[in-house]
Amino acid sequence: MALKRGLSSVGVQRSRSSGSRLRIVILFFFSILTLLVFFVGQGLYISDEDSVQSGFGKQNVDWRERLASQSIKNLFTKEVIDVVSTSTADLGPLSLDSFRKGNLSTSWKVIGVESSVADKATSQSNQKATDLKQEMSQVKEGKLPNDDHSHDMLTTTLRRQLRDNRREKHVAGLVQKDDEATVKLENAAIERSKAVDSAVLGKYNMWRKEIDNENSDSTVRLMSDQIIMAKVYIIIASMKNKLDLRKELQIRLKESLHALGESTTDADLPHSASDKIKAMEKVLAKAREQLYDCKLMLGKLRAMLQASVEQVMSLKKDSMFLSQLAAKTVPNAIHCLSMRLTIEYYLLPAEKRKFPRSENLENPKLYHYALFSDNVLAASVVVNSTIMNAKDPSKHVFHLVTDKLNFGAMNMWFLLNPPGKATINVENVDEFKWLNSSYCPVLRQLETAAMKEYYFKADQPTNSGSLNLKYRNPKYLSMLNHLRFYLPQVYPKLDKILFLDDDIVVQKDLTGLWSVDLHGKVNGAVETCGESFHRFDKYLNFSNPHISQNFDPNACGWAYGMNMFDLKVWRKKDITGIYHKWQNMNEDRALWKLGTLPPGLITFYGLTHPLQKSWHVLGLGYNPNVDKKEIESAAVIHYNGNMKPWLELAMTKYRSYWTKYIKYDHPYLHSCKFRNEPDYN
């Protein structure tokens, strides 16, 4: 029994020792297993991260990046986030234009008023870099959460910030250089403006400085403005029953109007003008306090503006009427000259009324001129200027045609003042028996009741509702104006003839025109069209199918006044017949208005040879800006327009070219009180 107990105790001890060893083995096994699991897990994590980056790239955003971004937003300020967001590759190359257009974020915009742009940008970027370094130190000290991703983000942001600093400095430099270039350009423009002729630009040009003119009109303009405002407040005061204020305004208005008078510059104002301005300013200030109503003021000013516009239009219409009337009338001095010459002519015996060298009138080898005029003085200038500038006056022949009223005066003038060795002849258009209404469409149309009503009924309206005075000029009633379409009939023995208007001046020898090759054309003339004016659509009605189907609206117009006509080709192509055809079609004035240029453009369409512009310069009767060099180099200058050189409304700057061919000491001119100024009464 004892032995059994001993054996059993030994077995128990053995079993206890074996159990403890087993526990140690198990513990050791699990320790090894834990280490293996740890290292395997790290390897799987790294390989998994690599596979994600290589597999998805930029298409998927890792959850760790989202977590880091959220942490960054909480960690950094908005200004730092802007730096990071604007420093991506999507911005493309940096340019000054993108900076000026505001395409960059606020961190790129360099603002500086007192300090320089570059210094401001440098200080701001250095401050941002310092802030980032402080935040990095806080992470290292454990004051802010730290992990691998946040550390990488801070490093990347710091690098980007340094790169941004360099860009900001570059932009600041570009801005500074651009500003310097702008200043240089402005200074150069100012220097150029100093050389501008103020007389050409006018008084109110944009470069004018008020200090350049001590006697400016600023005070006159101030008084005018006060007068306008006073008139408005008077109306409003009446509407609002402010009678005392209205009376005070009326008193000041009367005083200002009296002080202003007809003054156009400050130098014309009386010494009391400053006192009137101060008194008016006080009452206007009082009116503003009591009466000012923006909407009401606007309405009254608009009504005043409309009334002023209507007044200007009325004055413009009156001015047009008066200018047309002045252009139609004959000055007293010229009328006096014509009457005196006419009396003297009919007192002459018949044998003394003939001109010498009549055999030259039909000689085709000489240089022939056609001049149709009822103005004795104007015709004398044309003839005198041509002869004085001719190399051989004996070869020049002048064919003058006038009306019955001026026939005697025209003959008497050239009998008293023969053109040297040149030949001259004067005819009466009323003695051309072949020129009658059965042959000439214009004469037939002028005799109709409709045409007489158009010319002589004052209240006859046009399509525009107002009188078109330009086309109601009596010259269109005269056959002298239409005789140019019958040159072969008037001069059947001639081959070429130079047609001249009576409002021209010849400045050079014209014999070279007879040797100009017209290339089979009938008419040699100077073209007048430019970029968009004086083309066919200016003169003809292209809404009419007869015009639109036969002519080009952009065809170039040309000028009557100096025209070389080949009468042989004229007869061959029956130019007069073409003129008659179109004149008959225009009986109701549907193709063109009255005048000779529109039918001339139609008749000689495709049959006109352009001459060099130096032969004929136009515009001296309406254009104040004709180049002086062009005038002086021209063979013929033309006073086409209403401002004829013999009228009071002539432009003074051009009159000397005309008056140099008039002898003002001539007995007839002296007795009719001719003077070298356009002040005929």
Side-chain angles (χ1 to χ4, degrees):
M1 291 298 293
L3 180 60
K4 290 180 179 179
R5 284 194 297 272
L7 290 171
S8 61
S9 63
V10 172
V12 171
Q13 291 177 357
R14 290 179 176 176
S15 62
R16 288 179 178 175
S17 63
S18 64
S20 63
R21 285 196 298 270
L22 180 60
R23 285 194 295 272
I24 291 172
V25 171
I26 292 172
L27 180 61
F28 179 77
F29 174 77
F30 277 106
S31 299
I32 296 301
L33 183 60
T34 301
L35 291 173
L36 290 173
V37 169
F38 174 78
F39 287 112
V40 171
Q42 287 289 339
L44 291 174
Y45 168 75
I46 293 172
S47 63
D48 180 70
E49 181 178 286
D50 293 339
S51 63
V52 169
Q53 291 180 352
S54 61
F56 295 94
K58 294 182 180 180
Q59 296 179 0
N60 297 319
V61 180
D62 190 72
W63 65 272
R64 295 179 181 83
E65 293 181 4
R66 292 197 299 270
L67 181 60
S69 298
Q70 187 64 34
S71 300
I72 289 297
K73 290 181 180 180
N74 297 330
L75 180 62
F76 296 109
T77 62
K78 183 179 183 298
E79 191 174 15
V80 177
I81 297 298
D82 287 339
V83 173
V84 176
S85 62
T86 58
S87 301
T88 62
D90 295 335
L91 284 176
L94 179 64
S95 67
L96 187 59
D97 290 338
S98 62
F99 176 82
R100 289 193 179 279
K101 293 177 181 178
N103 293 335
L104 306 182
S105 67
T106 55
S107 63
W108 285 94
K109 296 179 181 178
V110 183
I111 303 173
V113 178
E114 298 179 356
S115 61
S116 65
V117 177
D119 294 341
K120 187 75 174 181
T122 304
S123 61
Q124 289 180 353
S125 61
N126 291 339
Q127 183 62 36
K128 293 174 184 177
T130 303
D131 294 340
L132 285 173
K133 291 179 180 179
Q134 291 178 356
E135 291 174 352
M136 287 289 292
S137 63
Q138 290 178 1
V139 171
K140 293 179 180 179
E141 294 174 0
K143 295 180 181 180
L144 294 175
N146 183 20
D147 53 36
D148 294 337
H149 301 289
S150 62
H151 184 273
D152 292 340
M153 287 298 296
L154 287 171
T155 303
T156 304
T157 303
L158 183 58
R159 290 176 178 172
R160 288 177 177 174
Q161 180 60 45
L162 294 175
R163 184 168 62 251
D164 296 344
N165 292 343
R166 292 193 296 271
R167 288 190 177 184
E168 287 181 354
K169 291 180 181 178
H170 181 56
V171 168
L174 291 176
V175 171
Q176 187 173 5
K177 290 181 180 179
D178 187 66
D179 291 340
E180 292 175 356
T182 302
V183 171
K184 290 181 180 179
L185 290 175
E186 291 176 353
N187 292 335
I190 292 173
E191 291 299 324
R192 288 194 301 271
S193 69
K194 293 179 180 179
V196 176
D197 187 1
S198 60
V200 176
L201 290 179
K203 190 174 183 180
Y204 294 102
N205 68 79
M206 62 182 294
W207 295 102
R208 180 174 70 96
K209 296 180 180 179
E210 294 293 339
I211 60 174
D212 291 343
N213 185 8
E214 296 179 358
N215 297 322
S216 66
D217 57 352
S218 58
T219 306
V220 172
R221 293 200 304 269
L222 175 59
M223 293 188 71
S224 300
D225 293 342
Q226 287 184 336
I227 289 171
I228 293 173
M229 294 306 300
K231 290 179 179 180
V232 174
Y233 281 127
I234 288 173
I235 298 173
I236 298 176
S238 300
M239 296 174 59
K240 296 189 175 182
N241 202 27
K242 299 285 186 178
L243 302 182
D244 294 339
L245 182 57
R246 183 188 69 176
K247 184 177 180 180
E248 188 176 358
L249 284 166
Q250 288 175 337
I251 293 173
R252 299 305 177 198
L253 176 62
K254 185 176 181 181
E255 292 176 350
S256 295
L257 287 172
H258 180 72
L260 182 61
E262 300 295 331
S263 301
T264 56
T265 62
D266 293 355
D268 300 332
L269 292 173
H271 295 293
S272 61
S274 58
D275 297 333
K276 306 301 181 186
I277 292 174
K278 293 177 182 178
M280 177 64 83
E281 181 59 33
K282 290 180 180 179
V283 71
L284 287 177
K286 184 178 179 181
R288 279 193 293 270
E289 294 177 358
Q290 299 183 24
L291 303 176
Y292 186 76
D293 184 331
C294 183
K295 186 176 181 181
L296 188 59
M297 287 284 294
L298 180 61
K300 295 303 176 184
L301 288 172
R302 184 175 294 172
M304 290 180 64
L305 177 62
Q306 183 65 29
S308 298
V309 171
E310 292 177 357
Q311 185 179 11
V312 169
M313 295 300 294
S314 177
L315 292 174
K316 184 177 180 181
K317 184 178 179 181
D318 292 342
S319 176
M320 178 181 177
F321 171 78
L322 293 174
S323 64
Q324 293 287 345
L325 183 62
K328 298 172 188 177
T329 56
V330 178
N332 281 343
I334 295 180
H335 180 69
C336 168
L337 177 64
S338 180
M339 293 299 100
R340 287 178 179 270
L341 290 171
T342 300
I343 294 172
E344 293 293 332
Y345 176 75
Y346 287 107
L347 292 176
L348 284 177
E351 63 272 11
K352 293 185 178 181
R353 297 181 184 179
K354 297 181 179 180
F355 292 101
R357 296 181 290 276
S358 59
E359 66 277 4
N360 292 335
L361 296 177
E362 295 182 352
N363 186 351
K365 296 181 179 180
L366 300 179
Y367 306 121
H368 295 266
Y369 300 85
L371 175 61
F372 308 145
S373 175
D374 57 0
N375 188 324
V376 176
L377 192 63
S380 69
V381 171
V382 175
V383 175
N384 290 344
S385 62
T386 304
I387 296 302
M388 290 178 65
N389 291 285
K391 294 180 179 179
D392 186 359
S394 63
K395 293 184 178 181
H396 296 262
V397 182
F398 293 90
H399 302 266
L400 273 68
V401 180
T402 187
D403 55 18
K404 183 188 300 185
L405 182 63
N406 294 280
F407 177 72
M410 197 77 72
N411 274 280
M412 191 64 196
W413 175 263
F414 288 106
L415 287 171
L416 293 173
N417 305 279
K421 297 181 180 181
T423 303
I424 193 167
N425 183 54
V426 180
E427 296 180 89
N428 182 2
V429 68
D430 296 312
E431 294 180 357
F432 295 161
K433 301 304 180 183
W434 53 268
L435 193 62
N436 50 58
S437 57
S438 61
Y439 175 68
C440 178
V442 163
L443 277 176
R444 183 171 64 253
Q445 293 168 9
L446 291 176
E447 294 175 357
T448 62
M451 190 67 70
K452 291 178 181 179
E453 183 180 21
Y454 179 81
Y455 272 107
F456 301 111
K457 190 173 181 180
D459 59 347
Q460 178 69 23
T462 61
N463 294 334
S464 61
S466 62
L467 296 178
N468 193 334
L469 298 174
K470 179 178 179 180
Y471 296 107
R472 295 173 186 271
N473 195 316
K475 71 178 183 179
Y476 298 127
L477 291 171
S478 173
M479 274 309 299
L480 288 176
N481 201 42
H482 298 271
L483 194 61
R484 64 193 67 189
F485 293 103
Y486 300 95
L487 289 173
Q489 288 82 357
V490 180
Y491 310 110
K493 300 292 182 66
L494 300 181
D495 296 334
K496 277 188 174 183
I497 196 166
L498 183 64
F499 172 80
L500 298 176
D501 269 341
D502 63 356
D503 55 352
I504 63 102
V505 173
V506 178
Q507 300 186 127
K508 294 183 179 181
D509 182 44
L510 300 181
T511 55
L513 285 170
W514 274 266
S515 60
V516 173
D517 186 2
L518 298 181
H519 300 281
K521 304 296 179 64
V522 182
N523 176 26
V526 170
E527 294 181 336
T528 58
C529 62
E531 292 293 332
S532 60
F533 59 96
H534 288 180
R535 297 184 182 272
F536 270 45
D537 58 354
K538 174 181 174 63
Y539 305 100
L540 305 177
N541 178 19
F542 275 85
S543 63
N544 189 293
H546 293 295
I547 297 296
S548 59
Q549 293 174 8
N550 290 279
F551 304 100
D552 179 9
N554 293 318
C556 193
W558 44 267
Y560 268 129
M562 190 209 70
N563 305 79
M564 176 59 70
F565 290 111
D566 189 328
L567 300 183
K568 294 176 65 176
V569 181
W570 184 311
R571 298 183 186 98
K572 182 178 179 180
K573 294 185 179 294
D574 190 19
I575 298 301
T576 303
I578 297 174
Y579 164 70
H580 283 174
K581 168 191 170 183
W582 286 101
Q583 192 67 53
N584 284 323
M585 294 173 62
N586 193 47
E587 186 169 359
D588 57 354
R589 299 184 303 280
L591 305 184
W592 69 85
K593 298 295 183 180
L594 296 179
T596 54
L597 181 56
L601 296 176
I602 289 178
T603 302
F604 297 102
Y605 182 67
L607 298 173
T608 299
H609 174 73
L611 300 176
Q612 293 183 0
K613 293 186 180 297
S614 60
W615 280 113
H616 187 190
V617 171
L618 299 100
L620 278 70
Y622 71 91
N623 183 7
N625 299 316
V626 181
D627 191 347
K628 184 177 180 180
K629 293 182 179 179
E630 290 186 4
I631 295 175
E632 295 177 349
S633 62
V636 171
I637 56 175
H638 195 172
Y639 292 84
N640 57 313
N642 288 331
M643 301 179 185
K644 303 299 184 185
W646 55 84
L647 297 177
E648 186 175 354
L649 48 77
M651 284 183 275
T652 307
K653 61 189 295 186
Y654 300 143
R655 289 195 79 248
S656 61
Y657 299 107
W658 187 79
T659 57
K660 65 186 293 186
Y661 296 103
I662 298 177
K663 295 181 179 180
Y664 286 95
D665 57 350
H666 191 282
Y668 280 87
L669 299 185
H670 181 72
S671 63
C672 287
K673 299 181 180 180
F674 274 92
R675 297 173 59 189
N676 196 6
E677 294 88 15
D679 59 346
Y680 307 132
N681 294 315

XYZ file of all heavy atoms in Angstrom, residues 550-578:
237
model
N -28.889 98.510 -115.865
C -28.003 99.001 -116.920
C -26.713 99.629 -116.418
O -25.781 99.824 -117.214
C -28.738 100.037 -117.780
C -29.836 99.420 -118.631
O -29.576 98.853 -119.690
N -31.069 99.534 -118.159
N -26.621 99.916 -115.095
C -25.453 100.632 -114.599
C -24.963 100.017 -113.296
O -25.721 99.410 -112.537
C -25.789 102.120 -114.389
C -26.324 102.802 -115.614
C -27.689 103.009 -115.767
C -25.470 103.210 -116.622
C -28.191 103.618 -116.899
C -25.959 103.821 -117.762
C -27.322 104.025 -117.908
N -23.685 100.203 -113.074
C -23.044 99.728 -111.846
C -23.102 100.841 -110.798
O -22.594 101.943 -111.036
C -21.588 99.356 -112.138
C -20.847 98.869 -110.899
O -21.500 98.665 -109.851
O -19.618 98.685 -110.986
N -23.705 100.582 -109.641
C -23.797 101.640 -108.622
C -22.440 102.105 -108.112
O -22.320 103.222 -107.612
C -24.623 100.993 -107.504
C -24.453 99.521 -107.708
C -24.323 99.323 -109.183
N -21.415 101.258 -108.229
C -20.077 101.625 -107.764
C -19.199 102.218 -108.860
O -18.005 102.469 -108.637
C -19.378 100.404 -107.170
C -20.043 99.930 -105.899
O -20.421 100.734 -105.051
N -20.206 98.624 -105.761
N -19.774 102.432 -110.041
C -19.004 103.051 -111.115
C -18.569 104.449 -110.688
O -19.284 105.160 -109.990
C -19.829 103.106 -112.396
N -17.384 104.830 -111.137
C -16.795 106.094 -110.696
C -17.400 107.277 -111.434
O -17.537 107.255 -112.660
C -15.289 106.050 -110.915
S -14.405 107.375 -110.082
N -17.771 108.308 -110.664
C -18.256 109.535 -111.269
C -17.113 110.390 -111.782
O -15.943 110.167 -111.464
N -17.434 111.372 -112.589
C -16.437 112.299 -113.124
C -17.030 113.702 -113.101
O -18.189 113.897 -112.758
C -16.006 111.907 -114.542
C -17.121 111.519 -115.449
C -17.602 110.267 -115.675
C -17.924 112.403 -116.253
N -18.656 110.302 -116.565
C -18.865 111.610 -116.931
C -17.942 113.778 -116.467
C -19.816 112.144 -117.802
C -18.875 114.320 -117.330
C -19.794 113.506 -117.987
N -16.225 114.672 -113.449
C -16.626 116.065 -113.270
C -16.836 116.770 -114.594
O -16.028 116.645 -115.518
C -15.575 116.806 -112.455
N -17.938 117.531 -114.681
C -18.053 118.541 -115.722
C -17.255 119.759 -115.260
O -17.050 119.985 -114.072
C -19.514 118.942 -115.921
C -20.248 118.142 -116.979
C -21.474 117.558 -116.698
C -19.724 117.997 -118.251
C -22.168 116.839 -117.664
C -20.403 117.274 -119.223
C -21.627 116.704 -118.927
O -22.292 115.996 -119.890
N -16.834 120.566 -116.208
C -16.082 121.770 -115.881
C -14.870 121.933 -116.758
O -14.533 123.040 -117.185
N -14.207 120.812 -117.062
C -13.119 120.776 -118.030
C -13.150 119.392 -118.670
O -12.687 118.415 -118.094
C -11.765 121.016 -117.366
C -10.645 121.234 -118.384
S -9.022 120.726 -117.809
C -9.207 118.951 -117.792
N -13.728 119.317 -119.868
C -13.926 118.042 -120.548
C -13.452 118.140 -121.989
O -13.829 119.066 -122.716
C -15.404 117.640 -120.531
C -15.984 117.610 -119.129
O -16.317 118.648 -118.571
N -16.112 116.421 -118.580
N -12.632 117.172 -122.370
C -12.190 117.086 -123.760
C -13.133 116.129 -124.491
O -13.242 114.948 -124.123
C -10.754 116.576 -123.838
C -10.257 116.360 -125.266
S -10.308 117.855 -126.291
C -9.006 118.818 -125.526
N -13.849 116.623 -125.514
C -14.807 115.817 -126.260
C -14.283 115.560 -127.667
O -13.888 116.504 -128.376
C -16.165 116.519 -126.343
C -16.893 116.580 -125.029
C -17.064 117.783 -124.368
C -17.403 115.430 -124.448
C -17.737 117.848 -123.167
C -18.075 115.481 -123.237
C -18.248 116.685 -122.587
N -14.295 114.277 -128.050
C -13.956 113.884 -129.418
C -15.257 113.885 -130.223
O -16.081 112.968 -130.123
C -13.319 112.489 -129.426
C -12.750 112.126 -130.788
O -13.311 112.572 -131.803
O -11.749 111.384 -130.836
N -15.456 114.927 -131.006
C -16.731 115.104 -131.707
C -16.903 114.108 -132.857
O -18.040 113.784 -133.233
C -16.841 116.535 -132.231
C -16.777 117.636 -131.151
C -16.969 119.008 -131.785
C -17.801 117.391 -130.072
N -15.807 113.594 -133.405
C -15.917 112.592 -134.471
C -16.501 111.294 -133.912
O -17.406 110.702 -134.503
C -14.539 112.348 -135.095
C -13.990 113.564 -135.840
C -12.576 113.309 -136.350
C -12.538 112.222 -137.386
N -11.177 112.040 -137.952
N -15.985 110.839 -132.780
C -16.526 109.628 -132.154
C -17.932 109.893 -131.634
O -18.797 109.015 -131.660
C -15.602 109.166 -131.012
C -16.132 107.897 -130.366
C -14.186 108.950 -131.524
N -18.180 111.099 -131.170
C -19.518 111.492 -130.686
C -20.558 111.252 -131.788
O -21.606 110.646 -131.548
C -19.471 112.969 -130.289
C -20.728 113.527 -129.686
C -21.996 113.416 -130.168
C -20.830 114.305 -128.483
N -22.879 114.065 -129.371
C -22.202 114.628 -128.320
C -19.918 114.765 -127.561
C -22.661 115.406 -127.255
C -20.374 115.529 -126.502
C -21.725 115.841 -126.341
N -20.261 111.775 -132.977
C -21.210 111.618 -134.084
C -21.365 110.157 -134.477
O -22.470 109.694 -134.795
C -20.730 112.435 -135.283
C -20.642 113.941 -135.014
C -20.220 114.697 -136.269
N -19.983 116.118 -135.997
C -18.798 116.656 -135.775
N -17.701 115.873 -135.835
N -18.661 117.938 -135.520
N -20.250 109.411 -134.424
C -20.295 108.005 -134.825
C -21.159 107.181 -133.880
O -21.911 106.298 -134.316
C -18.874 107.440 -134.870
C -18.778 106.008 -135.321
C -17.329 105.562 -135.372
C -17.202 104.117 -135.805
N -15.779 103.661 -135.850
N -21.106 107.463 -132.604
C -21.852 106.688 -131.606
C -23.201 107.316 -131.271
O -23.935 106.791 -130.428
C -21.020 106.536 -130.334
C -19.764 105.696 -130.518
C -19.040 105.477 -129.208
C -17.802 104.610 -129.401
N -18.166 103.226 -129.816
N -23.533 108.418 -131.919
C -24.814 109.104 -131.713
C -25.073 109.359 -130.222
O -26.068 108.912 -129.636
C -25.972 108.277 -132.311
C -27.272 109.067 -132.334
O -27.226 110.317 -132.245
O -28.345 108.431 -132.392
N -24.147 110.083 -129.590
C -24.256 110.373 -128.162
C -25.489 111.212 -127.859
O -26.177 110.997 -126.849
C -22.980 111.088 -127.683
C -21.760 110.186 -127.887
C -23.105 111.494 -126.224
C -21.839 108.874 -127.150
N -25.790 112.153 -128.730
C -26.967 112.988 -128.503
C -28.239 112.147 -128.518
O -29.170 112.393 -127.735
C -27.051 114.097 -129.569
O -25.845 114.857 -129.547
C -28.225 115.012 -129.305
N -28.313 111.137 -129.385
C -29.467 110.243 -129.409
C -29.597 109.452 -128.110
O -30.715 109.233 -127.615
N -28.462 109.002 -127.554
C -28.494 108.299 -126.261
C -29.024 109.223 -125.167
O -29.843 108.826 -124.333
C -27.085 107.791 -125.904
C -26.605 106.769 -126.935
C -27.067 107.200 -124.498
C -25.170 106.320 -126.729
